[in-house]
Amino acid sequence: MRLVLLGPPGAGKGTQAAQLAHRFGIPQISTGDILREHVQENTMLGVKARTFMDRGEYVPDDVVVEMVMERMQEPDAEKGFILDGFPRTVPQAEALEVALAEAGRPLSAVLKFSIADDMAVRRLTARWTCPNCKRTYNLEFKPPAQEGICDECGYVLERRADDDELTVRRRIEVYREQTASLERFYRDRGYLREVDAQAREADVTDRTMAILADIKD
Ligand code: AMP
């Protein structure tokens, strides 16, 4: 499977990408996670990216495209991949299209997760993330068994720097300005499948798997 997950911040792309990656045995390639690792390690790329990320704005296309192209060359991506958070602009989508066409490996599908803005804000402002295994929790809908501790690996949970309400609202706005047009891009090419993401995590996974059952690998 070669999948792209689209949808505004808070739609659950990361959570669903992790589920699908597990079920299909293919890597989840999250540009947000890769960028946050660079920020944490203070690399040149991380220092540059941080100024954009802290404001809820997009990191420049050339930086992100190069990063993804390199990641897709790694052996684990040979069987397929789930792109989570990429592409986010038309130039990124075009770069991906060219690279996949050259490799003779077109996308299988693009899944668009939809959710109302207020629900997205509620989800993200109460989100806590494990810095180690990347599992996410939500104080309101999905709290960890022990407060502040990851159920999976015991690490102390953190809040993402860009999950405060003001930045979340800006991220939703930026999605609308720059990424919503990708729906049309992929609909025109026959790839787009829509998933109502305003439900429990397990229900959204079931809906997604039902859609993918009809997709040729
Ligand atoms: P995410 O973890 O997907 O919510 O991404 C967090 C932040 O990383 C975004 O708000 C952007 O600043 C940056 N980012 C992630 N993916 C991209 C992308 N494909 N293009 C530009 N910026 C990105």
Side-chain angles (χ1 to χ4, degrees), residues 60-211:
D61 286 336
D62 54 340
V63 175
V64 184
V65 167
E66 193 183 329
M67 215 174 72
V68 173
M69 295 305 148
E70 267 174 27
R71 178 64 186 87
M72 289 203 321
Q73 304 289 324
E74 287 179 33
D76 65 340
E78 241 164 59
K79 264 175 63 188
F81 48 77
I82 298 167
L83 290 173
D84 158 22
F86 178 93
R88 264 173 150 110
T89 64
V90 171
Q92 290 180 18
E94 286 170 346
L96 177 67
E97 186 170 56
V98 169
L100 294 179
E102 277 171 3
R105 307 168 75 214
L107 288 174
S108 312
V110 174
L111 299 168
K112 150 85 201 297
F113 294 92
S114 29
I115 184 171
D117 287 0
D118 283 347
M119 176 59 88
V121 173
R122 266 176 74 193
R123 279 186 180 179
L124 293 186
T125 53
R127 172 165 78 173
W128 287 76
T129 308
C130 175
N132 181 47
C133 72
K134 311 289 182 241
R135 210 180 143 135
T136 58
Y137 297 86
N138 187 290
L139 294 190
E140 202 177 334
F141 312 108
K142 195 179 73 171
Q146 192 188 339
E147 199 185 319
I149 303 292
C150 179
D151 293 350
E152 204 67 34
C153 62
Y155 270 63
V156 176
L157 301 176
E158 293 175 351
R159 269 196 88 192
R160 262 175 56 171
D162 56 353
D163 274 348
D164 63 287
E165 183 166 349
L166 211 69
T167 314
V168 165
R169 290 202 183 272
R170 178 65 191 139
R171 284 160 58 202
I172 294 173
E173 212 173 85
V174 170
Y175 177 86
R176 207 154 276 138
E177 287 164 7
Q178 300 197 49
T179 308
S181 59
L182 282 188
E183 289 169 34
R184 171 103 195 264
F185 181 95
Y186 284 123
R187 190 176 293 115
D188 287 350
R189 286 159 173 75
Y191 288 128
L192 197 75
R193 302 285 184 281
E194 300 204 40
V195 187
D196 178 358
Q198 202 142 302
R200 285 185 17 219
E201 190 180 311
D203 294 339
V204 178
T205 306
D206 289 347
R207 287 176 194 170
T208 308
M209 290 303 288
I211 290 171

